[in-house]
Amino acid sequence: MIVQTQYVRFDSLSLDCGATLSPVDVAYETYGELNRERTNAILILHALSGDAHAAGISHETGKPGWWDNMIGPGKGFDTDKYFVICSNVLGGCRGTTGPSSINPATGCPYALSFPVITIGDMVRLQNMLIDYLGIERLLAVAGGSMGGMQALQWTVAYPDKVAAAIPIATTARHSPQQIAFNEVGRQAIMADPDWNGGNYYGRRPPARGLALARMIGHITYMSDESMREKFGRRLRDKDRYGFDFSVDFEVESYLHYRGAQFVDRFDANSYLYITKAMDYFDLTNGSASLASVLEKTQARFLVISFTSDWLYPSYQSLEIVNALRSRNRDVAYCELNSNYGHDAFLVEVGEQTEIVRGFLARTFERLR
Amino acid sequence: MSTAVETRRGPFVREILGRSDYAIISELVEPGTKVLDLGCGDGELLEWLVEHKGVEARGIEINSVKVQRAIARGVSVYQGDIDEGLADYPDHAFDYVILSQTLQETRRPLKVLREMLRVGKRAIVAFPNFGHWKVRLAHLFTGRAPKTKLFPYEWYDSPNIHFLTVLDFEDLARQEGWTIERRIFLAGRHTGRLLPNLMAEIAVYLIRSNTARQAGSAR
């Protein structure tokens, strides 16, 4: 399946912070066919570093999408049955307007003049895309991690436009620990002299800071067990310790590689803005309780967590599930066994495929 | 595809589902109602109720693999513990709360039963009858913890931690003031009314708490 990213421009978008952004570009991809009744559309929502290229082989890069193992013909999100959409989030750097985009008022990149955005803003923009595509109601919204936050936000912001939601390895609000890790990542970027107050476009980007942020991120995405299995204490290209501060261990080499690789494809300012949006995320948003917020939702829910995910632990999924149950909402919940930590939502394909397929099939059948 | 559906719509539910208490339970449940099945396993009964009685189905199951299978069937199952798992549901959220052959495995059966009658307008409880004559004989003649077809486990690895009989349950219902609307006794695949405490292998009760009636229950 060769796919091509498409683009659409909207006149303006009003943001939670009070500012208005105009115009706003959205990069998106679609897979499968929209049926005549327009009832089979599924919106896939990506995590912190994802993009619109969720599935298939990119026409431009030749690379598979970030969730290609879950989306495609006969897969969990079966593109023979469903019309699947994925767009790059607001604030991103992969085609949708973000801090690296040109501000039409100045002709220069926004950099830190880009307004601070929220998960709610991201979802509002996605809703404009859905309207543009002529879809009145989505069969499902689905995503892991920050994608799960957007899925939850969808069910609350547009309750009558979502038949089902699949929030995976996520939370209804960022915990102090999650905020803390994000803040360390941001500080790593901002401590890099090349960051230069966010004004580095056209010159050397804060590669060391961004790579460090990504290294910290990767530690939180794995588990103690998956790191032991993957690296152990194995040394990298040597038989004994170097007695210096070059790379000794496999795990160090892996983190360096991941950090360096990330710098080539991600914008440091986008990292700041998107992690901030995650930290601000709190579905209760001043309401008395999560239950009273979720009471308004009309979607069926499938909530999934993973046993070894310590970044988005199961108790956070259970908060969502129990709030839904207390309002007698239709919710299925499963904690899947995995050693992969938070990465599990991208890696554990087999079990997720079965439950997602069954859940979607029943939802689709009920719409008829 | 259509053949499979035809087969599943055979005349006797018990033939289809295999487990005789399932058959009875599915006959007790009114169409179009809201049902919660505790310890629902892989959701077989709930799926049947959805497809044939148009119920709105929910389940609770502790075993992750069974939960996955249930969700894969399209049934909304929550992975959790029956002993704790009911607390979050509001009062009278369901028309029926079903507990099929799991009562004897719960840590606090009375608490579970009371919770069932709080979150459900009615409860359907099926349990293996420890008063069955084979159990009594096994105990009498072997002088050991009885092992029978219904209680096949060694004492040290049995999931059953409470043993109750038909009479025990009737006593409890009286003590708690529950109204017993239906009682069905099964031996093999047959129902019978004769000497149930001695003859029944499995007892199925449809009960309702009297407070529910005062609150103006639908039926």
Side-chain angles (χ1 to χ4, degrees):
Chain A
M1 186 166 72
I2 303 292
V3 296
Q4 199 151 12
T5 307
Q6 294 166 272
Y7 300 87
V8 57
R9 172 165 289 189
F10 298 106
D11 288 342
S12 73
L13 173 72
S14 20
L15 304 172
D16 284 342
C17 69
T20 301
L21 210 52
S22 65
V24 186
D25 294 321
V26 178
Y28 69 99
E29 292 187 3
T30 68
Y31 323 103
E33 300 288 329
L34 187 61
N35 62 8
R36 202 146 35 96
E37 304 80 20
R38 300 176 177 232
T39 53
N40 68 337
I42 297 173
L43 180 64
I44 299 293
L45 305 152
H46 71 72
L48 168 57
S49 63
D51 55 26
H53 182 42
I57 302 299
S58 165
H59 178 72
E60 297 114 53
T61 66
K63 288 185 179 160
W66 57 268
W67 223 12
D68 188 55
N69 50 19
M70 283 294 293
I71 306 164
K75 296 182 185 173
F77 297 94
D78 187 349
T79 51
D80 287 338
K81 279 180 82 175
Y82 308 118
F83 177 63
V84 177
I85 309 153
C86 184
S87 66
N88 186 210
V89 293
L90 179 68
C93 50
R94 310 280 294 168
T96 295
T97 299
S100 59
S101 306
I102 301 295
N103 178 355
T106 63
C108 300
Y110 280 101
L112 286 210
S113 73
F114 194 75
V116 171
I117 49 158
T118 63
I119 299 290
D121 295 330
M122 295 176 184
V123 166
R124 208 171 302 120
L125 182 59
Q126 287 155 4
N127 181 48
M128 291 163 78
L129 174 67
I130 296 310
D131 284 345
Y132 164 78
L133 293 173
I135 296 157
E136 279 177 22
R137 190 167 186 237
L138 290 161
L139 175 66
V141 290
S145 199
M146 188 182 82
M149 298 177 204
Q150 296 163 66
L152 291 170
Q153 179 69 26
W154 259 97
T155 66
V156 171
Y158 305 102
D160 51 350
K161 294 183 83 169
V162 187
I166 310 179
I168 305 172
T170 192
T171 180
R173 61 198 134 195
H174 244 203
S175 70
Q177 192 189 52
Q178 288 156 342
I179 295 169
F181 279 117
N182 276 349
E183 175 62 3
V184 175
R186 286 190 294 266
Q187 287 300 329
I189 291 167
M190 294 191 286
D192 186 333
D194 291 334
W195 181 62
N196 190 33
N199 295 307
Y200 53 80
Y201 298 109
R203 43 179 129 167
R204 196 161 60 172
R208 286 165 298 168
L210 181 58
L212 181 51
R214 187 60 172 172
M215 286 165 76
I216 296 160
H218 266 288
I219 299 168
T220 66
Y221 306 152
M222 291 185 278
S223 70
D224 180 39
E225 194 165 351
S226 67
M227 287 176 102
R228 273 190 288 129
E229 275 175 14
K230 192 168 180 148
F231 314 111
R233 287 182 54 83
R234 280 196 309 281
L235 300 178
R236 176 75 184 177
D237 296 334
K238 52 177 80 166
D239 301 324
R240 50 202 179 95
Y241 299 156
F243 292 100
D244 57 17
F245 294 100
S246 64
V247 167
D248 278 317
F249 296 98
E250 280 281 3
V251 64
E252 295 173 325
S253 160
Y254 174 82
L255 290 176
H256 286 257
Y257 168 72
R258 285 299 193 157
Q261 198 192 34
F262 191 58
V263 168
D264 294 335
R265 68 175 176 92
F266 212 80
D267 174 52
N269 284 336
S270 273
Y271 199 92
L272 301 181
Y273 279 91
I274 295 174
T275 55
K276 196 51 134 176
M278 292 163 81
D279 290 349
Y280 281 170
F281 183 62
D282 180 354
L283 203 60
T284 55
N285 195 24
S287 295
S289 68
L290 187 56
S292 61
V293 173
L294 288 170
E295 187 167 24
K296 291 185 292 187
T297 63
Q298 295 172 27
R300 309 179 70 211
F301 285 80
L302 169 60
V303 180
I304 301 171
S305 68
F306 298 92
T307 48
S308 59
D309 184 351
W310 57 275
L311 185 60
Y312 291 84
S314 291
Y315 83 84
Q316 292 187 320
S317 287
L318 275 170
E319 267 178 16
I320 299 161
V321 171
N322 290 338
L324 286 164
R325 291 199 306 137
S326 76
R327 292 300 192 268
N328 217 0
R329 286 288 172 274
D330 187 347
V331 54
Y333 167 66
C334 192
E335 182 188 43
L336 296 177
N337 263 311
S338 174
N339 290 339
Y340 286 106
H342 187 54
D343 273 337
F345 86 89
L346 294 168
V347 181
E348 297 287 3
V349 177
E351 290 165 331
Q352 283 191 96
T353 296
E354 289 307 309
I355 59 181
V356 164
R357 179 185 288 143
F359 176 79
L360 288 175
R362 183 73 73 189
T363 308
F364 193 42
E365 177 190 300
R366 283 191 188 183
L367 288 183
R368 297 185 159 198
Chain B
M1 204 52 196
S2 68
T3 350
V5 172
E6 281 309 307
T7 319
R8 282 153 89 183
R9 284 189 185 156
F12 297 107
V13 178
R14 69 192 60 180
E15 298 298 333
I16 303 150
L17 289 173
R19 269 176 65 178
S20 52
D21 58 322
Y22 272 19
I24 299 297
I25 287 165
S26 55
E27 281 162 19
L28 289 177
V29 171
E30 298 284 334
T33 51
K34 216 167 164 182
V35 178
L36 173 67
D37 186 5
L38 305 178
C40 64
D42 58 12
E44 185 186 26
L45 173 64
L46 285 173
E47 186 189 32
W48 193 92
L49 289 171
V50 167
E51 287 179 358
H52 296 87
K53 296 229 165 176
V55 304
E56 206 180 324
R58 308 271 194 280
I60 301 183
E61 171 60 45
I62 188 82
N63 179 306
S64 169
V65 174
K66 289 180 181 171
V67 173
Q68 287 165 43
R69 270 192 242 134
I71 298 173
R73 285 172 188 264
V75 180
S76 294
V77 170
Y78 158 76
Q79 186 178 345
D81 182 349
I82 298 171
D83 277 288
E84 315 295 335
L86 288 174
D88 283 302
Y89 290 113
D91 293 356
H92 289 174
F94 299 95
D95 294 300
Y96 302 96
V97 180
I98 299 171
L99 185 65
S100 181
Q101 302 210 47
T102 319
L103 183 61
Q104 75 283 358
E105 296 178 16
T106 58
R107 260 173 292 144
R108 300 181 59 193
L110 181 54
K111 188 186 160 200
V112 169
L113 288 166
R114 283 177 179 162
E115 277 289 272
M116 287 173 72
L117 286 169
R118 180 185 67 78
V119 306
K121 292 172 187 156
R122 284 171 168 76
I124 299 175
V125 185
F127 59 87
N129 172 30
F130 206 63
H132 188 257
W133 64 270
K134 282 185 185 165
V135 181
R136 299 192 201 191
L137 285 184
H139 188 46
L140 185 66
F141 286 116
T142 66
R144 291 183 172 84
K147 268 173 69 180
T148 68
K149 193 178 72 183
L150 271 176
F151 297 93
Y153 308 99
E154 294 293 346
W155 64 271
Y156 47 80
D157 66 358
S158 172
N160 304 320
I161 55 175
H162 293 95
F163 297 96
L164 75 159
T165 69
V166 166
L167 289 180
D168 289 326
F169 191 83
E170 298 264 345
D171 288 348
L172 183 64
R174 205 173 304 119
Q175 175 197 311
E176 291 289 313
W178 300 330
T179 303
I180 297 174
E181 296 192 332
R182 293 279 300 276
R183 43 167 81 73
I184 297 152
F185 303 111
L186 300 163
R189 292 193 160 197
H190 305 284
T191 55
R193 299 209 64 90
L194 187 69
L195 298 174
N197 199 42
L198 200 58
M199 304 304 289
E201 290 176 335
I202 291 169
V204 184
Y205 282 85
L206 176 66
I207 59 174
R208 158 171 75 69
S209 76
N210 286 329
T211 46
R213 190 179 45 186
Q214 281 152 16
S217 163
R219 271 175 302 274

